[in-house]
């Protein structure tokens, strides 16, 4: 029965996706992507584990954006609930936050002691370029699973040109483009 279903539907029926597996998976994702876990979440859940398709990942992420709170955390809780009910939601949520709390406390202590060093500033500036690259790559990969329509791309390019290149305020750009 599972062979005839799409991979994500078959994953939803698997009994080996337990709350503990969800906890470990989301712990690995959150520890991999300090400051930007969306790329790593997509890579792990869509490419490696094949628990969801590109389109489902984009839908869960969009739903996670609508719910108040951190987008990828919300998505983790939703996926945890999908695969293992309330205990799965708890496991995914705890996995997303439990270990990274200690990493953030340690990073804060290190930054407090060494943050004024020029080498630290240069390293953080270099990390910014990496995060931008990962964000663009992830946006491209997520877009491959969505229907091909020209209008969203036009709005994306117009928003990028207005906000990114011309440095217009985002609020005014959104107010101008929303009625269209």
């Amino acid at each position: 029965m599972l062979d005839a279903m799409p991979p994500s539907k078959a994953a939803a029926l698997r009994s080996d996706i337990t709350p503990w597996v969800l906890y470990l998976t989301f712990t690995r994702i959150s520890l991999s992507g300090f400051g930007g876990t969306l790329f790593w979440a997509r890579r792990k859940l869509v490419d490696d584990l094949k628990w969801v398709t590109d389109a489902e990942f984009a839908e869960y992420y969009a739903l996670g954006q609508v719910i108040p709170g951190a987008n990828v955390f919300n998505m983790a809780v939703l996926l945890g609930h999908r695969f293992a009910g309330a205990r799965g939601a708890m496991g995914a949520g705890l996995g997303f936050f439990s270990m990274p709390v200690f990493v953030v406390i340690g990073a804060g202590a290190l930054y407090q002691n060494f943050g004024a060093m020029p080498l630290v500033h240069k390293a953080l500036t270099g990390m910014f370029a990496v995060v931008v690259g990962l964000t663009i790559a992830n946006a491209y990969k997520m877009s491959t699973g969505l229907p091909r329509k020209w209008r969203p791309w036009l709005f994306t390019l117009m928003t990028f040109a207005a906000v990114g290149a011309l440095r217009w305020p985002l609020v005014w750009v959104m107010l101008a483009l929303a009625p269209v």
Side-chain angles (χ1 to χ4, degrees), residues 60-72:
Y60 274 99
Y61 182 64
L63 188 56
Q65 287 181 317
V66 174
I67 301 169
N71 302 338
V72 184

Side-chain angles (χ1 to χ4, degrees), residues 7-8 11 14 17 21-22 25-26 29 37-54 56-57 60-61 72 75-77 79-80 82-83 92 96:
S8 64
R14 289 176 24 191
I17 304 177
V21 169
L22 288 162
T25 300
F26 283 102
I29 289 170
T37 56
L38 182 62
F39 171 80
W40 298 107
R42 192 209 158 278
R43 185 178 200 182
K44 189 74 168 169
L45 299 173
V46 176
D47 295 339
D48 296 346
L49 298 174
K50 299 189 185 337
W51 285 358
V52 292
T53 65
D54 272 322
E56 289 172 325
F57 184 85
Y60 274 99
Y61 182 64
V72 184
M75 184 179 66
V77 171
L79 286 169
R82 172 184 173 178
F83 293 121
F96 203 82

Side-chain angles (χ1 to χ4, degrees), residues 69-154:
N71 302 338
V72 184
F73 172 78
N74 291 340
M75 184 179 66
V77 171
L78 291 169
L79 286 169
H81 186 270
R82 172 184 173 178
F83 293 121
R87 291 179 59 219
M90 181 80 74
L94 287 174
F96 203 82
F97 273 119
S98 61
M99 291 306 291
V101 164
F102 298 112
V103 173
V104 169
I105 290 171
L110 287 172
Y111 188 77
Q112 188 172 5
N113 290 327
F114 303 108
M117 297 175 66
L119 183 63
V120 173
H121 283 285
K122 289 179 183 178
L124 292 175
T125 302
M127 286 182 218
F128 176 74
V130 172
V131 170
V132 169
L134 287 174
T135 302
I136 291 170
N138 197 47
Y140 173 75
K141 283 193 168 196
M142 284 178 62
S143 70
T144 59
L146 300 175
R148 297 278 182 230
K149 296 181 181 174
W150 65 272
R151 196 167 188 200
W153 289 104
L154 178 64

